[in-house]
């Protein structure tokens, strides 16, 4: 069992359960054409995030790590008409490509892209007294994961759902001695989650077109 079959099953699920999606197909084409790395969530994962946000009844969503806005658009689609989404991105080129994709998808007035280092943007949001978010998706630079969790918690309330991408990394997460700063970032995230009485959490491993990886899921008590 390996990559080829994981990709085939993912394609089968997507063909079965996800309606033809010319807008998101164009998003992925635009991202690739603009030279962005192909590290957007997979379509079935994007719809999974969309459904989680819907189940939560999210009206305010926070995303950390925009890239070209592929996951942003999936999440924005879960919002009610008066909902809003703030997404944090450090790379101006990524933010520019995302703005175009988000505009084409019809969410320019729903999504605010905040350009800058996400730890700073999180501190700014807190300082501005931003209303709490109902759903948070953490998917930026992995070494800062625990800092992002901390920042997200300051912008949360009871019932807020926090999802973190890429917590398995081909299984490297179990290597306590890993010299990879991204793996250590994920391990600090788990330590932080485990040690926080406000969080009720689990994690799931995934396979698919993006390889072997996984999501952490937490709810604020
Ligand atoms: N969520 C996107 C993928 C995000 S990829 C999707 O699934 O479609 C990770 C993104 O985080 C990249 O665009 C990268 O530029 C951004 N990033 C990396 N370090 C960051 C930082 N310190 N602050 C904010 N964004 C950062
Ligand atoms: C990386 C980041 C991601 O968000 C992802 O989904 C896959 C890989 C990375 O930085 O390598
Ligand atoms: Mg990711």
């Amino acid at each position: 069992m390996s990559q080829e079959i994981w990709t085939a099953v993912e394609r089968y699920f997507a063909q079965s359960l996800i309606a033809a999606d010319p807008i998101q197909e164009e998003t992925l084409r635009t991202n690739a054409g603009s030279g962005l790395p192909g590290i957007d969530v997979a379509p079935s994962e994007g719809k999974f995030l969309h459904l989680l946000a819907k189940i939560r009844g999210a009206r305010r969503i926070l995303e950390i790590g925009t890239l070209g806005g592929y996951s942003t658009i999936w999440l924005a689609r879960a919002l009610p008409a008066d909902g809003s989404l703030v997404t944090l991105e450090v790379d101006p080129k990524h933010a520019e490509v995302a703005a175009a994709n988000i505009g084409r998808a019809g969410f320019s007035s729903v999504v605010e892209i905040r350009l800058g280092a996400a730890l700073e943007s999180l501190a700014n949001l807190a300082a501005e007294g931003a209303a709490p978010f109902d759903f948070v998706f953490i998917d930026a630079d992995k070494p800062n994961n625990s800092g992002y969790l901390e920042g997200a918690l300051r912008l949360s309330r009871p019932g807020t759902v926090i999802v973190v991408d890429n917590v398995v990394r081909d299984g490297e997460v179990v290597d306590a001695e890993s010299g990879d700063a991204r793996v250590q970032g994920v391990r600090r995230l788990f330590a932080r989650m485990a040690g926080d009485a406000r969080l009720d959490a689990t994690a799931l491993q995934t396979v698919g077109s993006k390889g072997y990886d996984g999501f952490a899921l937490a709810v604020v008590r």
Side-chain angles (χ1 to χ4, degrees), residues 40 52 78 92 96 103 106 126 140 156 179 183 215 218 220:
D40 346 64
L52 285 177
E96 188 186 322
S156 295
V183 172
F215 293 105
V220 179

Side-chain angles (χ1 to χ4, degrees), residues 38-41 139-142 165-166 169 182 210 213:
I39 54 174
D40 346 64
V41 293
D139 188 21
D141 51 320
K142 313 313 173 189
D165 194 21
N166 312 116
R169 308 211 68 104
R182 296 168 303 180
K210 304 289 169 172
D213 217 324

